[in-house]
Amino acid sequence: MERKSRFSQWLRRPRSGAGGERDADAASEAAREELLLAAAAAGFPLAPAAHPSGYGCSCERIGCPTPGRHPVSFAWQTLATTDAEKVTKWLRAQPEANFVTATGIAHDVLDVPVEAGRQALDRLTAAGIEVGPIATVAPDRMLFFTATRGTPDDEDEWWPCELDCHPETMDEHPGLRWHCRGSYVLLAPSRLPDDGQVAWLRGPERPLPDPLTLLETLTDACAQYAGQRPDHHESAAWPIGR
């Protein structure tokens, strides 16, 4: 409850006077640091990401196709860490940075349209199925964090699946996207263009469920969502443009 309260405080930053603004900024930074360190403590590997800047992206790439939604470094998979000291140094050195968590190491993420995600969550809850951490990516996505399939010794055990996706192939998977090895998602409290936010619906301290316990319900909800919107086309949520 305390973490949720502090995140709400982060969203409602007072604007009354210079002293109030400084106090609000300090509280906001403390709440942001707490949320990201809690994710690291839960075993989520973190790496710094770009953030919205003016009308574009802090990466200063002209025409960046995903402002504020991609890692700062191309070596993000190597940099990703749960080490609290290293994460704290990043936070202090890059106070405006968003953060990503690398998937396929400690967790996977099932990434669905928010309407489908809410329908699936209602069904899973009604069925008594335990769900793990869940985040919303305003305005249109919901992220279900699950245990990872890992990297099996026998690659034949790694079944080929059209749900598997990488950051550069998001536009090919507008429904359910399965982020596993080689992919990433933004972590709360990342900021997106047009006042978008990444926020925890259920925090990272929750146990990670087996993805297969959620998959059928999520795919059914996505199919229903797509059927209700035959002409709907989503833009890619996380891709790195080429």
Side-chain angles (χ1 to χ4, degrees), residues 1 12 16 21 23-24 34 37 40 49 65 70 97 108 117 129 139 143 150 174 176 187 196 200 224 231 237:
M1 292 297 292
R12 298 191 298 271
S16 56
E21 287 183 2
D23 291 344
E34 180 183 348
L37 288 175
H70 60 83
D108 288 354
I129 297 174
L143 309 178
L176 191 152
L187 275 178
W200 287 115
Q224 181 178 349
D231 299 324

Side-chain angles (χ1 to χ4, degrees), residues 16-34:
S16 56
E21 287 183 2
R22 284 194 295 270
D23 291 344
D25 287 343
S28 171
E29 184 58 32
R32 171 177 174 266
E33 183 172 308
E34 180 183 348

Side-chain angles (χ1 to χ4, degrees), residues 102-212:
T103 55
I105 299 173
H107 59 78
D108 288 354
V109 171
L110 298 174
D111 172 355
V112 301
V114 66
E115 293 92 340
R118 293 193 184 281
Q119 291 177 18
L121 180 57
D122 288 343
R123 295 176 196 171
L124 290 164
T125 301
I129 297 174
E130 293 293 329
V131 296
I134 301 173
T136 56
V137 184
D140 57 0
R141 304 296 294 184
M142 185 177 286
L143 309 178
F144 288 77
F145 288 74
T146 72
T148 183
R149 287 184 288 168
T151 307
D153 294 333
D154 182 357
E155 279 296 310
D156 289 340
E157 295 179 13
W158 188 283
W159 67 91
C161 177
E162 288 301 317
L163 296 177
D164 287 350
C165 91
H166 298 265
E168 68 271 18
T169 61
M170 294 301 172
D171 53 347
E172 300 171 13
H173 301 271
L176 191 152
R177 307 162 182 166
W178 190 327
H179 298 266
C180 49
R181 58 181 178 177
S183 190
Y184 58 82
V185 297
L186 284 173
L187 275 178
S190 291
R191 297 180 297 114
L192 303 176
D194 300 322
D195 296 322
Q197 304 280 353
V198 181
W200 287 115
L201 185 62
R202 302 193 178 194
E205 73 282 353
R206 298 174 67 93
L208 295 169
D210 186 316
L212 298 184

